[in-house]
């Protein structure tokens, strides 16, 4: 799965190869195969496209 953000009508990939996503009070935590865990403060889950393998976030 990829975590993406839409900016000015374009998709920006933030994280690739996501294996786990956790919704936190202050944002989103993602874990990947090779880089470990990372928190994205101020992020909120918008929607998930399972066919495309993308998780869409909004920031701020």
């Amino acid at each position: 799965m990829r975590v993406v953000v839409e900016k000015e009508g374009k998709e920006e990939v933030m994280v690739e190869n996501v294996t786990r996503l956790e919704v936190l009070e202050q944002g989103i935590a993602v874990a990947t195969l090779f880089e470990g865990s990372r928190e994205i403060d101020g992020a909120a889950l918008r929607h998930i496209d399972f066919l495309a393998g993308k998780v869409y976030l909004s920031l701020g």
Side-chain angles (χ1 to χ4, degrees):
M1 297 285 286
R2 290 184 178 132
V3 173
V4 300
V5 175
E6 289 181 314
K7 289 185 179 180
E8 301 173 4
K10 296 182 181 181
E11 291 182 2
E12 179 182 319
V13 178
M14 295 189 69
V15 186
E16 293 191 87
N17 300 315
V18 174
T19 57
R20 183 179 58 83
L21 183 141
E22 183 179 352
V23 177
L24 306 172
E25 199 170 304
Q26 68 276 12
I28 302 287
V30 294
T32 65
L33 284 172
F34 306 109
E35 298 176 19
S37 187
R38 170 181 167 192
E39 286 189 19
I40 305 170
D41 291 333
L45 181 63
R46 288 193 48 219
H47 67 275
I48 301 170
D49 184 338
F50 290 102
L51 285 176
K54 296 178 183 177
V55 176
Y56 291 86
L57 301 181
S58 61
L59 299 177

